[in-house]
Structure formats: structure tokens, C-alpha cells
PDB file of all heavy atoms in Angstrom:
ATOM      1  N   VAL B   1       5.492   2.912  18.573  1.00 93.00           N
ATOM      2  CA  VAL B   1       5.758   1.898  17.546  1.00 93.00           C
ATOM      3  C   VAL B   1       4.477   1.559  16.803  1.00 93.00           C
ATOM      4  O   VAL B   1       4.457   1.455  15.575  1.00 93.00           O
ATOM      5  CB  VAL B   1       6.393   0.630  18.169  1.00 93.00           C
ATOM      6  CG1 VAL B   1       6.400  -0.526  17.187  1.00 93.00           C
ATOM      7  CG2 VAL B   1       7.799   0.941  18.642  1.00 93.00           C
ATOM      8  N   GLU B   2       3.399   1.407  17.557  1.00 94.00           N
ATOM      9  CA  GLU B   2       2.108   1.071  16.944  1.00 94.00           C
ATOM     10  C   GLU B   2       1.655   2.180  15.991  1.00 94.00           C
ATOM     11  O   GLU B   2       1.214   1.905  14.874  1.00 94.00           O
ATOM     12  CB  GLU B   2       1.072   0.858  18.051  1.00 94.00           C
ATOM     13  CG  GLU B   2      -0.268   0.364  17.558  1.00 94.00           C
ATOM     14  CD  GLU B   2      -1.211   0.080  18.710  1.00 94.00           C
ATOM     15  OE1 GLU B   2      -1.200   0.822  19.707  1.00 94.00           O
ATOM     16  OE2 GLU B   2      -1.975  -0.883  18.598  1.00 94.00           O
ATOM     17  N   ARG B   3       1.767   3.444  16.441  1.00 92.00           N
ATOM     18  CA  ARG B   3       1.398   4.567  15.568  1.00 92.00           C
ATOM     19  C   ARG B   3       2.282   4.597  14.327  1.00 92.00           C
ATOM     20  O   ARG B   3       1.804   4.778  13.207  1.00 92.00           O
ATOM     21  CB  ARG B   3       1.516   5.889  16.324  1.00 92.00           C
ATOM     22  CG  ARG B   3       0.312   6.242  17.144  1.00 92.00           C
ATOM     23  CD  ARG B   3       0.365   7.687  17.628  1.00 92.00           C
ATOM     24  NE  ARG B   3       1.593   7.994  18.362  1.00 92.00           N
ATOM     25  CZ  ARG B   3       1.767   7.793  19.662  1.00 92.00           C
ATOM     26  NH1 ARG B   3       0.813   7.269  20.379  1.00 92.00           N
ATOM     27  NH2 ARG B   3       2.914   8.119  20.241  1.00 92.00           N
ATOM     28  N   GLY B   4       3.591   4.431  14.544  1.00 93.00           N
ATOM     29  CA  GLY B   4       4.527   4.444  13.420  1.00 93.00           C
ATOM     30  C   GLY B   4       4.248   3.327  12.436  1.00 93.00           C
ATOM     31  O   GLY B   4       4.262   3.520  11.224  1.00 93.00           O
ATOM     32  N   ALA B   5       3.968   2.134  12.956  1.00 93.00           N
ATOM     33  CA  ALA B   5       3.665   0.994  12.087  1.00 93.00           C
ATOM     34  C   ALA B   5       2.374   1.239  11.316  1.00 93.00           C
ATOM     35  O   ALA B   5       2.284   0.893  10.134  1.00 93.00           O
ATOM     36  CB  ALA B   5       3.558  -0.285  12.915  1.00 93.00           C
ATOM     37  N   GLY B   6       1.411   1.844  11.974  1.00 91.00           N
ATOM     38  CA  GLY B   6       0.151   2.159  11.289  1.00 91.00           C
ATOM     39  C   GLY B   6       0.360   3.150  10.165  1.00 91.00           C
ATOM     40  O   GLY B   6      -0.200   3.002   9.069  1.00 91.00           O
ATOM     41  N   ASP B   7       1.200   4.160  10.418  1.00 92.00           N
ATOM     42  CA  ASP B   7       1.502   5.155   9.385  1.00 92.00           C
ATOM     43  C   ASP B   7       2.216   4.506   8.209  1.00 92.00           C
ATOM     44  O   ASP B   7       1.903   4.773   7.048  1.00 92.00           O
ATOM     45  CB  ASP B   7       2.373   6.280   9.953  1.00 92.00           C
ATOM     46  CG  ASP B   7       1.638   7.147  10.968  1.00 92.00           C
ATOM     47  OD1 ASP B   7       0.395   7.062  11.042  1.00 92.00           O
ATOM     48  OD2 ASP B   7       2.322   7.900  11.686  1.00 92.00           O
ATOM     49  N   VAL B   8       3.187   3.651   8.509  1.00 92.00           N
ATOM     50  CA  VAL B   8       3.932   2.962   7.450  1.00 92.00           C
ATOM     51  C   VAL B   8       2.995   2.059   6.654  1.00 92.00           C
ATOM     52  O   VAL B   8       3.035   2.035   5.419  1.00 92.00           O
ATOM     53  CB  VAL B   8       5.117   2.160   8.041  1.00 92.00           C
ATOM     54  CG1 VAL B   8       5.725   1.233   7.000  1.00 92.00           C
ATOM     55  CG2 VAL B   8       6.165   3.105   8.586  1.00 92.00           C
ATOM     56  N   ALA B   9       2.147   1.320   7.348  1.00 92.00           N
ATOM     57  CA  ALA B   9       1.208   0.422   6.669  1.00 92.00           C
ATOM     58  C   ALA B   9       0.268   1.201   5.752  1.00 92.00           C
ATOM     59  O   ALA B   9       0.001   0.776   4.621  1.00 92.00           O
ATOM     60  CB  ALA B   9       0.412  -0.387   7.697  1.00 92.00           C
ATOM     61  N   ALA B  10      -0.201   2.340   6.215  1.00 93.00           N
ATOM     62  CA  ALA B  10      -1.108   3.155   5.396  1.00 93.00           C
ATOM     63  C   ALA B  10      -0.396   3.657   4.139  1.00 93.00           C
ATOM     64  O   ALA B  10      -0.968   3.628   3.033  1.00 93.00           O
ATOM     65  CB  ALA B  10      -1.639   4.328   6.209  1.00 93.00           C
ATOM     66  N   ARG B  11       0.860   4.105   4.301  1.00 93.00           N
ATOM     67  CA  ARG B  11       1.614   4.576   3.133  1.00 93.00           C
ATOM     68  C   ARG B  11       1.887   3.453   2.143  1.00 93.00           C
ATOM     69  O   ARG B  11       1.759   3.622   0.928  1.00 93.00           O
ATOM     70  CB  ARG B  11       2.936   5.196   3.574  1.00 93.00           C
ATOM     71  CG  ARG B  11       2.823   6.708   3.722  1.00 93.00           C
ATOM     72  CD  ARG B  11       4.137   7.324   4.043  1.00 93.00           C
ATOM     73  NE  ARG B  11       4.305   7.093   5.493  1.00 93.00           N
ATOM     74  CZ  ARG B  11       5.443   7.088   6.125  1.00 93.00           C
ATOM     75  NH1 ARG B  11       6.555   7.296   5.487  1.00 93.00           N
ATOM     76  NH2 ARG B  11       5.503   6.872   7.417  1.00 93.00           N
ATOM     77  N   LEU B  12       2.274   2.282   2.677  1.00 94.00           N
ATOM     78  CA  LEU B  12       2.538   1.142   1.795  1.00 94.00           C
ATOM     79  C   LEU B  12       1.267   0.710   1.063  1.00 94.00           C
ATOM     80  O   LEU B  12       1.298   0.395  -0.130  1.00 94.00           O
ATOM     81  CB  LEU B  12       3.113  -0.027   2.598  1.00 94.00           C
ATOM     82  CG  LEU B  12       4.519   0.178   3.150  1.00 94.00           C
ATOM     83  CD1 LEU B  12       4.892  -0.967   4.073  1.00 94.00           C
ATOM     84  CD2 LEU B  12       5.529   0.317   2.020  1.00 94.00           C
ATOM     85  N   GLU B  13       0.170   0.717   1.779  1.00 94.00           N
ATOM     86  CA  GLU B  13      -1.107   0.334   1.151  1.00 94.00           C
ATOM     87  C   GLU B  13      -1.473   1.316   0.039  1.00 94.00           C
ATOM     88  O   GLU B  13      -1.909   0.913  -1.040  1.00 94.00           O
ATOM     89  CB  GLU B  13      -2.214   0.297   2.213  1.00 94.00           C
ATOM     90  CG  GLU B  13      -3.514  -0.274   1.692  1.00 94.00           C
ATOM     91  CD  GLU B  13      -4.522  -0.465   2.812  1.00 94.00           C
ATOM     92  OE1 GLU B  13      -4.141  -0.941   3.899  1.00 94.00           O
ATOM     93  OE2 GLU B  13      -5.693  -0.151   2.566  1.00 94.00           O
ATOM     94  N   GLN B  14      -1.252   2.606   0.301  1.00 95.00           N
ATOM     95  CA  GLN B  14      -1.543   3.616  -0.714  1.00 95.00           C
ATOM     96  C   GLN B  14      -0.631   3.420  -1.932  1.00 95.00           C
ATOM     97  O   GLN B  14      -1.100   3.471  -3.081  1.00 95.00           O
ATOM     98  CB  GLN B  14      -1.349   5.016  -0.137  1.00 95.00           C
ATOM     99  CG  GLN B  14      -1.647   6.125  -1.128  1.00 95.00           C
ATOM    100  CD  GLN B  14      -1.444   7.498  -0.514  1.00 95.00           C
ATOM    101  OE1 GLN B  14      -1.127   7.628   0.664  1.00 95.00           O
ATOM    102  NE2 GLN B  14      -1.604   8.519  -1.323  1.00 95.00           N
ATOM    103  N   ASN B  15       0.651   3.162  -1.675  1.00 95.00           N
ATOM    104  CA  ASN B  15       1.590   2.933  -2.789  1.00 95.00           C
ATOM    105  C   ASN B  15       1.180   1.709  -3.598  1.00 95.00           C
ATOM    106  O   ASN B  15       1.237   1.725  -4.839  1.00 95.00           O
ATOM    107  CB  ASN B  15       3.014   2.737  -2.259  1.00 95.00           C
ATOM    108  CG  ASN B  15       3.604   4.013  -1.708  1.00 95.00           C
ATOM    109  OD1 ASN B  15       3.073   5.101  -1.913  1.00 95.00           O
ATOM    110  ND2 ASN B  15       4.702   3.877  -0.982  1.00 95.00           N
ATOM    111  N   GLN B  16       0.786   0.639  -2.929  1.00 94.00           N
ATOM    112  CA  GLN B  16       0.385  -0.586  -3.629  1.00 94.00           C
ATOM    113  C   GLN B  16      -0.912  -0.371  -4.408  1.00 94.00           C
ATOM    114  O   GLN B  16      -1.061  -0.885  -5.518  1.00 94.00           O
ATOM    115  CB  GLN B  16       0.213  -1.747  -2.641  1.00 94.00           C
ATOM    116  CG  GLN B  16       1.520  -2.308  -2.141  1.00 94.00           C
ATOM    117  CD  GLN B  16       2.307  -2.978  -3.255  1.00 94.00           C
ATOM    118  OE1 GLN B  16       1.898  -4.003  -3.795  1.00 94.00           O
ATOM    119  NE2 GLN B  16       3.442  -2.391  -3.612  1.00 94.00           N
ATOM    120  N   ALA B  17      -1.829   0.399  -3.847  1.00 95.00           N
ATOM    121  CA  ALA B  17      -3.082   0.689  -4.563  1.00 95.00           C
ATOM    122  C   ALA B  17      -2.788   1.457  -5.847  1.00 95.00           C
ATOM    123  O   ALA B  17      -3.353   1.158  -6.914  1.00 95.00           O
ATOM    124  CB  ALA B  17      -4.032   1.476  -3.668  1.00 95.00           C
ATOM    125  N   GLU B  18      -1.899   2.440  -5.761  1.00 95.00           N
ATOM    126  CA  GLU B  18      -1.531   3.214  -6.951  1.00 95.00           C
ATOM    127  C   GLU B  18      -0.823   2.331  -7.973  1.00 95.00           C
ATOM    128  O   GLU B  18      -1.111   2.406  -9.173  1.00 95.00           O
ATOM    129  CB  GLU B  18      -0.635   4.391  -6.562  1.00 95.00           C
ATOM    130  CG  GLU B  18      -1.352   5.477  -5.791  1.00 95.00           C
ATOM    131  CD  GLU B  18      -0.404   6.535  -5.242  1.00 95.00           C
ATOM    132  OE1 GLU B  18       0.814   6.505  -5.558  1.00 95.00           O
ATOM    133  OE2 GLU B  18      -0.883   7.390  -4.477  1.00 95.00           O
ATOM    134  N   ALA B  19       0.096   1.490  -7.496  1.00 95.00           N
ATOM    135  CA  ALA B  19       0.833   0.613  -8.399  1.00 95.00           C
ATOM    136  C   ALA B  19      -0.113  -0.375  -9.075  1.00 95.00           C
ATOM    137  O   ALA B  19       0.004  -0.647 -10.283  1.00 95.00           O
ATOM    138  CB  ALA B  19       1.926  -0.134  -7.635  1.00 95.00           C
ATOM    139  N   ALA B  20      -1.060  -0.914  -8.325  1.00 94.00           N
ATOM    140  CA  ALA B  20      -2.023  -1.858  -8.899  1.00 94.00           C
ATOM    141  C   ALA B  20      -2.916  -1.156  -9.911  1.00 94.00           C
ATOM    142  O   ALA B  20      -3.219  -1.711 -10.976  1.00 94.00           O
ATOM    143  CB  ALA B  20      -2.862  -2.497  -7.799  1.00 94.00           C
ATOM    144  N   ALA B  21      -3.328   0.076  -9.597  1.00 95.00           N
ATOM    145  CA  ALA B  21      -4.182   0.833 -10.514  1.00 95.00           C
ATOM    146  C   ALA B  21      -3.446   1.136 -11.814  1.00 95.00           C
ATOM    147  O   ALA B  21      -4.050   1.173 -12.889  1.00 95.00           O
ATOM    148  CB  ALA B  21      -4.641   2.130  -9.850  1.00 95.00           C
ATOM    149  N   GLU B  22      -2.147   1.307 -11.715  1.00 95.00           N
ATOM    150  CA  GLU B  22      -1.348   1.561 -12.911  1.00 95.00           C
ATOM    151  C   GLU B  22      -0.976   0.269 -13.630  1.00 95.00           C
ATOM    152  O   GLU B  22      -0.362   0.292 -14.688  1.00 95.00           O
ATOM    153  CB  GLU B  22      -0.073   2.328 -12.530  1.00 95.00           C
ATOM    154  CG  GLU B  22      -0.341   3.733 -12.032  1.00 95.00           C
ATOM    155  CD  GLU B  22       0.904   4.403 -11.465  1.00 95.00           C
ATOM    156  OE1 GLU B  22       2.009   3.820 -11.550  1.00 95.00           O
ATOM    157  OE2 GLU B  22       0.764   5.516 -10.937  1.00 95.00           O
ATOM    158  N   GLY B  23      -1.307  -0.877 -13.026  1.00 94.00           N
ATOM    159  CA  GLY B  23      -1.039  -2.158 -13.653  1.00 94.00           C
ATOM    160  C   GLY B  23       0.398  -2.627 -13.510  1.00 94.00           C
ATOM    161  O   GLY B  23       0.846  -3.480 -14.281  1.00 94.00           O
ATOM    162  N   ARG B  24       1.115  -2.097 -12.533  1.00 93.00           N
ATOM    163  CA  ARG B  24       2.509  -2.525 -12.348  1.00 93.00           C
ATOM    164  C   ARG B  24       2.557  -3.951 -11.829  1.00 93.00           C
ATOM    165  O   ARG B  24       1.954  -4.285 -10.818  1.00 93.00           O
ATOM    166  CB  ARG B  24       3.222  -1.590 -11.375  1.00 93.00           C
ATOM    167  CG  ARG B  24       3.535  -0.257 -12.009  1.00 93.00           C
ATOM    168  CD  ARG B  24       4.506   0.528 -11.151  1.00 93.00           C
ATOM    169  NE  ARG B  24       3.805   1.725 -10.676  1.00 93.00           N
ATOM    170  CZ  ARG B  24       4.105   2.374  -9.581  1.00 93.00           C
ATOM    171  NH1 ARG B  24       5.087   1.979  -8.810  1.00 93.00           N
ATOM    172  NH2 ARG B  24       3.431   3.438  -9.245  1.00 93.00           N
ATOM    173  N   GLU B  25       3.282  -4.777 -12.561  1.00 93.00           N
ATOM    174  CA  GLU B  25       3.381  -6.192 -12.225  1.00 93.00           C
ATOM    175  C   GLU B  25       4.033  -6.382 -10.856  1.00 93.00           C
ATOM    176  O   GLU B  25       5.020  -5.744 -10.526  1.00 93.00           O
ATOM    177  CB  GLU B  25       4.214  -6.918 -13.300  1.00 93.00           C
ATOM    178  CG  GLU B  25       4.132  -8.415 -13.187  1.00 93.00           C
ATOM    179  CD  GLU B  25       4.809  -9.112 -14.353  1.00 93.00           C
ATOM    180  OE1 GLU B  25       4.749  -8.585 -15.479  1.00 93.00           O
ATOM    181  OE2 GLU B  25       5.375 -10.180 -14.116  1.00 93.00           O
ATOM    182  N   GLY B  26       3.459  -7.274 -10.068  1.00 94.00           N
ATOM    183  CA  GLY B  26       3.977  -7.585  -8.742  1.00 94.00           C
ATOM    184  C   GLY B  26       3.269  -6.848  -7.626  1.00 94.00           C
ATOM    185  O   GLY B  26       3.359  -7.241  -6.464  1.00 94.00           O
ATOM    186  N   ALA B  27       2.570  -5.757  -7.962  1.00 94.00           N
ATOM    187  CA  ALA B  27       1.851  -5.000  -6.930  1.00 94.00           C
ATOM    188  C   ALA B  27       0.640  -5.803  -6.463  1.00 94.00           C
ATOM    189  O   ALA B  27       0.111  -6.641  -7.191  1.00 94.00           O
ATOM    190  CB  ALA B  27       1.392  -3.656  -7.498  1.00 94.00           C
ATOM    191  N   ILE B  28       0.209  -5.557  -5.259  1.00 93.00           N
ATOM    192  CA  ILE B  28      -1.003  -6.199  -4.731  1.00 93.00           C
ATOM    193  C   ILE B  28      -2.043  -5.121  -4.503  1.00 93.00           C
ATOM    194  O   ILE B  28      -1.792  -4.135  -3.815  1.00 93.00           O
ATOM    195  CB  ILE B  28      -0.717  -6.951  -3.418  1.00 93.00           C
ATOM    196  CG1 ILE B  28       0.228  -8.107  -3.695  1.00 93.00           C
ATOM    197  CG2 ILE B  28      -2.003  -7.436  -2.771  1.00 93.00           C
ATOM    198  CD1 ILE B  28       0.596  -8.913  -2.478  1.00 93.00           C
ATOM    199  N   ASP B  29      -3.210  -5.315  -5.083  1.00 93.00           N
ATOM    200  CA  ASP B  29      -4.321  -4.384  -4.904  1.00 93.00           C
ATOM    201  C   ASP B  29      -4.890  -4.611  -3.500  1.00 93.00           C
ATOM    202  O   ASP B  29      -5.433  -5.675  -3.211  1.00 93.00           O
ATOM    203  CB  ASP B  29      -5.395  -4.630  -5.966  1.00 93.00           C
ATOM    204  CG  ASP B  29      -6.519  -3.623  -5.892  1.00 93.00           C
ATOM    205  OD1 ASP B  29      -6.594  -2.855  -4.908  1.00 93.00           O
ATOM    206  OD2 ASP B  29      -7.349  -3.617  -6.815  1.00 93.00           O
ATOM    207  N   PRO B  30      -4.777  -3.612  -2.588  1.00 92.00           N
ATOM    208  CA  PRO B  30      -5.254  -3.799  -1.226  1.00 92.00           C
ATOM    209  C   PRO B  30      -6.761  -4.059  -1.142  1.00 92.00           C
ATOM    210  O   PRO B  30      -7.220  -4.731  -0.214  1.00 92.00           O
ATOM    211  CB  PRO B  30      -4.911  -2.488  -0.532  1.00 92.00           C
ATOM    212  CG  PRO B  30      -3.908  -1.821  -1.387  1.00 92.00           C
ATOM    213  CD  PRO B  30      -4.134  -2.332  -2.765  1.00 92.00           C
ATOM    214  N   ALA B  31      -7.520  -3.582  -2.104  1.00 92.00           N
ATOM    215  CA  ALA B  31      -8.969  -3.776  -2.085  1.00 92.00           C
ATOM    216  C   ALA B  31      -9.359  -5.246  -2.339  1.00 92.00           C
ATOM    217  O   ALA B  31     -10.322  -5.745  -1.789  1.00 92.00           O
ATOM    218  CB  ALA B  31      -9.643  -2.867  -3.109  1.00 92.00           C
ATOM    219  N   THR B  32      -8.576  -5.919  -3.195  1.00 93.00           N
ATOM    220  CA  THR B  32      -8.902  -7.298  -3.549  1.00 93.00           C
ATOM    221  C   THR B  32      -7.898  -8.312  -3.009  1.00 93.00           C
ATOM    222  O   THR B  32      -8.152  -9.508  -3.062  1.00 93.00           O
ATOM    223  CB  THR B  32      -8.964  -7.453  -5.076  1.00 93.00           C
ATOM    224  OG1 THR B  32      -7.657  -7.163  -5.618  1.00 93.00           O
ATOM    225  CG2 THR B  32     -10.000  -6.529  -5.687  1.00 93.00           C
ATOM    226  N   ASP B  33      -6.780  -7.831  -2.554  1.00 91.00           N
ATOM    227  CA  ASP B  33      -5.680  -8.674  -2.083  1.00 91.00           C
ATOM    228  C   ASP B  33      -5.165  -9.596  -3.184  1.00 91.00           C
ATOM    229  O   ASP B  33      -4.694 -10.682  -2.928  1.00 91.00           O
ATOM    230  CB  ASP B  33      -6.106  -9.487  -0.847  1.00 91.00           C
ATOM    231  CG  ASP B  33      -4.913  -9.856   0.022  1.00 91.00           C
ATOM    232  OD1 ASP B  33      -3.917  -9.111   0.029  1.00 91.00           O
ATOM    233  OD2 ASP B  33      -4.977 -10.902   0.693  1.00 91.00           O
TER     234      ASP B  33
END
């Protein structure tokens, strides 16, 4: 479960970083929160 949660968290963080970089409203930039 811990490994799976870590994998999911990493993917979500990557998706949010991309969305924030593209300026999509509502996304959270993981670097700045």
C-alpha cells in the first residue's frame, strides 16, 4: 500500500506540475504549493 500510494502521489504531483506549468486554473504547483 505504501509503495502504491507513493507511486500514485508521484504521478499526481507530476500531473499537477505539468498543469501548473501550462497555467491550467485550479492546479497546484508542487514546487510552490
Side-chain angles (χ1 to χ4, degrees):
V1 168
E2 186 176 37
R3 276 192 305 274
D7 292 346
V8 169
R11 265 185 280 158
L12 291 172
E13 188 172 317
Q14 181 180 357
N15 290 347
Q16 285 294 293
E18 290 172 7
E22 293 171 6
R24 286 193 245 154
E25 192 173 325
I28 295 179
D29 184 349
T32 63
D33 206 29

